[in-house]
Amino acid sequence: METEGGITVRQALELPGLRGGLPEVLTCADRLDRTVRWVHAGEAPNIPALLKGGELLLTTGLGLGSRPAEQRAFVRRLADRGIAALVVELGPRFGRLPSAIVEAARTAGLPLVQLHREVPFVAVTEEIHTEIVNGHYALLQRAEEVHRRCTQAVLGGGGVPQVLGILADFAGNPVFLETPDGRLLFAAGPGTGPAGTGPLQVWEGLRGARAARAAPPSGAVLVEVPGGGPGTGSVRARLVLLAVSGPLLTVHRMAAERAAGILAVVLMQARQEEEVAARGRGDFLTDLADGRIAPGDAPAQAGVLGFRPGGDPLLPVVMRLAPESAPSGSWALLARAVAEELAGVGAPALVGVRPVEGRVPLLLALRPGTTRTALADRVAVALRAGADRAGLERPGDRTPSAVVVGDAGGWEAAGAGLRHAAEAATAAHGLADRPWWDARRLDIDLLLWRLRDQPDLASFVERSVGPLLEHDRTARPALLPTLEAYLAHAGRKAEAARELHLNRQTLYNRLARIGELLGTDLDDPESVLALSLALRARRHTG
């Protein structure tokens, strides 16, 4: 029977030290396979309070008490502490053990052994402790052998699946690697290999039950894989061993802890390599946008990066993340998540990242039968889902990320399309949130953004809407939202009133007050155009 680094009571009684005492088992002979964690010898009446559980207690009985009630209470306290067995040496104190002690041990389920000959307790303690230490060393050797095999697998080009497969074979049970929030990453079962369906079926069967609890099922082993972020307590993933085919023992936990260290290195290396590759694709797309790569050379270089669109038109897309997005997010995970989302679209994609600029540029092949709008819809969803999974976009961000889609064309137009989309994405920040923007509809905002540092633009904003802004700083109700709604609906007052939840007369009164403050006629097309430009420019000069 597995003793998890110790020896059993039965094995201890068979060692020369105790065997020389002619041991006689008086109670619970069926429980001699209990593990002996340590040996303690003592005679004090308060000795139960000094024990932690799993001890083999050696005594001559001096502390057991003289009255039956005292003896029964002493044995009960020992049993409550969870000791492995009580061994009493017969001699001056007891010629034979009193029935009160024997019955109390039997009732408590505690193995009770009496020794008919005197033995040196020091020698017995040393002998058993040596066996316990040797047992622990044997467990360490077994766990280290698993660690060695995992290391060899990684050095030979293997990765997470190979490490999990070795651990699953050793434990004889399925092994899973999951994210800190419980999503499955990899699975392996004993003898099935990483691709086996057995462990996946186990996972599916237990997922519902595990979702309702913070801890894994009973008997499971959970080990954290470190390195998920800054700080000593960060967790990259969790290694979970489930007791399906047999119990999980101490040696399995020890092996899992050593495997977790290897997995941390493998995952860190994979993430670094993945991010380097994603940045390399981002550098290529940026060089293409900036004209440093000739259109004639671009297809070959893109092919090296795995992007081969054939003769299909290319759709340039750029996502610019909010400036306050989490800096600890994973750009590599973002690139991978977007690629996974786009795999279902059926359109070849080249996804890069530019962390310094906070941009994600990409090119997609616009396949026959797919419209630009339909593909843009899918790409926008994939980009936002990827940013959320990677921790690079949060619901509380003051300004959402902007996804801008350029015009489709060949390699000759791809660079200019990427550059236009990137600049337009910068200019789009602060506009109303929408799934994606057409770069062509942002040309006015892009022009104003390019002029943002010009003093004349700031003066234009001040002349056009300054009095209105001053009014809103000191008076209520604020009138700027009314003007914005009026202009957004191209002067259609009924639609503006519905958006503002105002009756028409209230809207008319507010528009009249705005006209007085600005000294302009809101029914004049030229005035409306100037105010629209001023409000757009205000976003870039404020």
Side-chain angles (χ1 to χ4, degrees), residues 384-401:
R384 296 186 188 280
D388 179 65
R389 286 170 55 185
L392 286 163
E393 186 172 60
R394 298 167 296 185
D397 288 343
R398 292 189 300 274
T399 53
S401 60

Side-chain angles (χ1 to χ4, degrees), residues 37 90 98 146 156 167 191 242-243 248 267 279 300 302 313 323 347 362 432 460 491 494 525 542:
R37 185 186 61 81
L90 301 179
V146 174
L167 187 57
L242 298 181
L248 292 167
L267 292 174
R279 290 188 184 219
L362 60 156
F460 167 67

